[in-house]
Amino acid sequence: MINAQTDHSWWRQAVVYQIYPRSFADGNGDGIGDLRGVINRIDHLRKLGVDAVWLSPFYPSALADGGYDVDDYRDVDPLLGTLADFDELTARLHEIGLKMIIDLVPNHSSDRHVWFREALAAPKGSPARARYIFRDGLGPDGSEPPADWPSIFGGPAWEPVGDGQWYLHLFAKEQPDLNWDNPEVRADFLHTLRFWSDRGVDGFRVDVAHGLAKRLPVELPPWSELRTRTGAGQHPLWDRDEVHDIYAEWRAVFNEYTPPRTAVAEAWVDADRRPSYASAEGLGQAFNFDLLQSDYDAPSFRTVITENLELAARSGSSTTWVLSNHDVVRHPTRYGLPPLGAKDPDSVIAKHGADWLRSGGTEPKLDRELGLRRARAATLIELALPGSAYLYQGEELGLHEVAGIPADQRQDPAFFRSGGEQIGRDGCRVPLPWTATGSSYGFGSGPAHLPQPDWFAGLAVEVQDRDPDSTLALYRAALRLRRELQAEESLTWLDTGREDVLAFRRPNGWTCVSNFGSEPYPLTADEVLLSSSPLDGDELPGATTIWTRPA
Ligand code: NOJ
């Protein structure tokens, strides 16, 4: 069991539950989830048995990108509450032994941030513009963009401001990229880290951690060249070596606190570049999205697990496992669709399920039952692995992705900026169902800001609470057992004699056996502690995982 105050390594094998606050619970009935909603539902987190909460952005924002467009890094959006609510939530989490991790978005602010407003009001070459990345446009009057680069959400990455200058935004145009060469920007973020750490925040999830350091040449290369340029720390936009100087400064701030504040990098970099982000001189931990990008396939899982344990060992950090988050199609849905085959090399966001979303959820055909069965099996693998696990709100209910959200109700900028080519991420951000009936299925006393499907009723927390076979019951049992069984951060693969059956053992005998195939696999004499689906006599059925220990 984690002792938060004395154990400085609490994060190494923590289970972190991601709350996307606008869709978790709505305390005031305005249709938007808020901090009061989280406070009201805190017992759900306690019963679930997670170790920490990661709160996605709750800062003032016009929601051009779900809150990842931050107007003020040191405040709470009035629609979500107040700083006093934030303090109350942190205190309540601490009372029940949970840590609070908050999302930090340093690569870009919003276009409503006071700095960006100052930059627009100030002339070319001014100190106010130097906090962002401005360039002169091309052509005699600067009316052409400085380069033909696309933004990650589609559309151009450069936006004109009307005086011949353009600013860089790698994401939506409401998200101007900050200039991290600027000492004021650097100092201000140190202030922000202390602001929240002083309020008792235990750690930070760092958005686009690989993007902060940029080195744009005077002559900007065309996209055709830039997109294929290999990095090795020298790419103009991504994963530059000097980004680690920034994190070394942050580390000094984290270490001012007891226990030191933690951080986890969202860094979409090659696996062998990840250890620098995860090092103890840097952020300390980095997300590994390899499992999330992998098909439901035993050899792929085994390769990903082996590689990532090695990488984590190299950095001295623990590894991180993620199957779902607010950016990807939920894992029961991915696993109920035909396999992806290969990763999309061009995308920072996993695209599995993109075609299905585009068809409104009809093509290819989704096998909902098989998808959920596999998801439960994959979750038990994830939770038996050494390292920390990041769960996304709603996965404990076995929610599928919501398809068919009408275009006029979509919110994701990726949908608008790509002209509908990318449907985007709204389908995993639909407000949670808490009750089988009532307005917005108990999300709040009013409506929900994204439409909830009818099938949410049967998956509501109150329904699953009564059902010992529910996905919620499985998550609760798994997290309770995980606390009891937790062991040193290593595993040994066991020979199963079958390519589609994986088995590994932790140093204390805790064993995980998973049958990815469809042929049953004989059980051993070990005591079965938990099973992701009912067992078939003395056989482990397909798409099922068990936890055992020597009898
Ligand atoms: C990664 C976040 O997870 C995603 O939701 C966001 O849109 C981009 N970064 C830009 O901040």
Side-chain angles (χ1 to χ4, degrees), residues 25-190:
D26 174 12
N28 65 2
D30 66 356
I32 309 225
D34 46 33
L35 300 184
R36 183 58 49 195
V38 184
I39 294 170
N40 292 345
R41 294 290 184 186
I42 212 158
D43 214 37
H44 178 68
L45 305 172
R46 188 187 58 76
K47 283 194 195 149
L48 190 56
V50 296
D51 300 305
V53 160
W54 147 27
L55 201 57
S56 277
F58 50 85
Y59 312 103
S61 168
L63 295 186
D65 179 22
Y68 286 87
D69 46 322
V70 178
D71 299 348
D72 181 347
Y73 292 95
R74 298 190 284 270
D75 205 352
V76 172
D77 190 309
L79 288 177
L80 269 67
T82 62
L83 279 170
D85 294 331
F86 181 89
D87 292 341
E88 185 182 335
L89 173 57
T90 307
R92 295 284 300 279
L93 288 173
H94 286 164
E95 267 166 39
I96 58 168
L98 267 62
K99 300 294 205 176
M100 169 69 120
I101 296 172
I102 62 169
D103 221 309
L104 193 70
V105 191
N107 180 67
H108 42 265
S109 72
S110 83
D111 60 350
R112 305 198 313 176
H113 191 285
V114 61
W115 279 354
F116 196 70
R117 288 192 268 117
E118 282 173 17
L120 290 186
K124 172 180 164 177
S126 58
R129 288 210 176 171
R131 297 183 188 120
Y132 293 90
I133 302 177
F134 278 85
R135 275 294 174 94
D136 289 334
L138 303 180
D141 54 357
S143 63
E144 297 293 318
D148 65 344
W149 307 346
S151 88
I152 284 162
F153 293 149
W158 291 93
E159 189 69 17
V161 297
D163 59 5
Q165 283 224 298
W166 299 60
Y167 68 88
L168 178 69
H169 59 90
L170 293 176
F171 294 88
K173 75 172 170 28
E174 295 85 356
Q175 295 168 295
D177 281 56
L178 285 160
N179 172 14
W180 275 86
D181 285 337
N182 186 309
E184 229 186 312
V185 170
R186 288 170 92 118
D188 194 69
F189 270 87
L190 299 183

Side-chain angles (χ1 to χ4, degrees), residues 65 68 105 108 153 171 175 205 207-208 266 326-327 425 429:
D65 179 22
Y68 286 87
V105 191
H108 42 265
F153 293 149
F171 294 88
Q175 295 168 295
R205 177 264 186 192
D207 192 65
V208 198
E266 186 221 20
H326 64 300
D327 286 333
R425 303 157 292 174
R429 300 175 178 185

